[in-house]
Amino acid sequence: MSLAEVEARERRAQARGLYRALEVLRADMARRASATMEHWDALIQRPEFVASARNLADYLALRRGDLVPFQAPLASLGLSSLGRAESHVRASIDAVLASLALIGGEGEAEYPPVEIFAAGPARLAARRDHLFGARRGNPQARIMVTLPTAAAEGPELIAQLLAAGADCLRINCAHDTPEEWAAMIGHARRLGAEMGRRVPVQIDLPGPKLRIEAVSGEEERLHVGESFEIVPALPRGKKKLRKSGRVQAVLSHPAQHAALTEGAAVWINDGRLRARVIEVTPERVVCEVVSTPGKGARIRPEKGVNLPGTDLRVPALTEDDMAPLDFALRHADIIGYSFVQTGADLRALFSAIEERLPGRNPQDWPALMLKIETPLALRNLPALIVEAGGRMPVGVMIARGDLAVEIGFERLTEIQEEILWLCEAAEVPVVWATQVLEGLVKDGQASRAEMTDAAMSQRAECVMLNKGPHLAEGVEVLLDVLTRMDRHSNKKSPRLGALGLWHDF
């Protein structure tokens, strides 16, 4: 037997072994996915979301195990390594099985229809356009802009943003007034009509206030090793440092105070000041500072407070959200749901909307943006997507500021990738949010790291810029970066276009 014949025989044997292993994997995936769909079935009231949920169930079942042992052997046979299966999980496995059958000489190959591979991406693109607006040509990712108060004063700023390349606008109801929100939306609607385009508006509900409510000694800078106190209340009018010599702070939400146990982490102002609880009494909680910038950090009112590692069971929909919700139901294309963590949070919102829009089909409600900000929301994300998407159009915002604080800055890099993959499998659009080109938008100059982050954001369906004095310039730069990146990648897939830089070689 010649060497070529020996090698061909080994290839066939390798293909047959891979076929049997992958067949077992597929059967296990199908069984687990079927059980998941039985659990989800009652949540899905929109027939058009069934295929998306089924593909998500397949993806979750497939990714329970380690696929790495399959990848190199499959690639050595010139086959898909399943690294891009998110949009068509079952069809990808079936196509590989068909090719393995051919190579291994075991029966005829039964390939899935070609149309299946295009259906998922087409649904995702249509949902992206529904949420964030359609665009001719590149970039594929849309640009969302958070409007500052100045946008209410006249149409000029919004006109600049739209001309620079913004696709949709965001209003945060934690700031400004209903009169200012209405003015912003009025300008956006008129300008969109004049330009002959739809400019979707997302209105974010404020959600529970998890921040510093009051401080005694707010001008004091705290350094590593020093301590401060969290107390239920300050004496009336007491703003200066107490005789104890410690800064004292009051938290805005009682659930946070109740969750403070010895050893718990306390991060203030997006983690600029990091501390741990060293003593708990009925009168006070003493915290020791473990990290600050070199010059120290102050504790000031209205700064956010996070308790990394603690699951706060705080309802996402508060009484203070009801007036903004009434406004959003009259004016918004998308409702941003802050601090959503559980199915109970979703059902509370659905109930509130049904009370305000009795008899209205949920298909006619504004779309819903799930803002993923906590570890609990992250763990519940598949169920949140299915329950929300089963009722109304839905998107997911990676709220990278709070999420990074809650799960750790180091973990954010991998978690934001996993959210992108999961949402692609569910055919749900993603917004890449928080600190995108922040240096450019606020100070007029972006860092190298910010430019790299902006380039990575191209894999999401929408990228959000926050407000700042150089916002229009930020939109122009982001548009350019996204357009350039579209030449080279689509989600996880590289595009192998010609490399113009080295055309002489």
Side-chain angles (χ1 to χ4, degrees), residues 128 135 137-144 164-167 430 432 436-437 450-465 474-491 495:
R128 174 202 62 202
R135 173 200 288 275
N138 289 333
Q140 296 300 306
R142 307 300 186 242
I143 297 175
M144 177 184 289
D167 297 286
V430 174
W432 182 283
V436 178
L437 296 178
E450 286 174 348
M451 295 300 288
T452 301
D453 177 62
M456 293 299 98
S457 74
Q458 177 257 0
R459 294 161 300 160
E461 281 66 48
C462 184
V463 187
M464 190 188 87
L465 293 177
V475 173
E476 290 179 348
V477 171
L478 181 58
L479 184 74
D480 182 59
V481 170
L482 295 176
T483 301
R484 290 174 183 274
M485 289 304 297
D486 270 5
R487 291 186 57 244
H488 300 293
S489 64
N490 173 37
K491 292 292 188 182
R495 297 182 189 272

Side-chain angles (χ1 to χ4, degrees), residues 93-140:
I93 295 177
D94 288 345
V96 172
L97 284 170
S99 293
L100 287 171
L102 275 179
I103 297 170
E106 292 190 338
E108 293 185 4
E110 295 184 13
Y111 287 94
V114 174
E115 295 78 14
I116 291 179
F117 293 90
R123 282 192 291 266
L124 179 56
R127 290 168 184 171
R128 174 202 62 202
D129 291 353
H130 174 71
L131 262 64
F132 310 122
R135 173 200 288 275
R136 291 183 179 177
N138 289 333
Q140 296 300 306

Side-chain angles (χ1 to χ4, degrees), residues 305-328:
V305 178
N306 297 88
L307 307 180
T310 301
D311 279 342
L312 283 180
R313 303 289 175 149
V314 176
L317 194 65
T318 71
E319 195 60 38
D320 290 340
D321 289 324
M322 295 308 170
L325 177 61
D326 289 335
F327 182 91

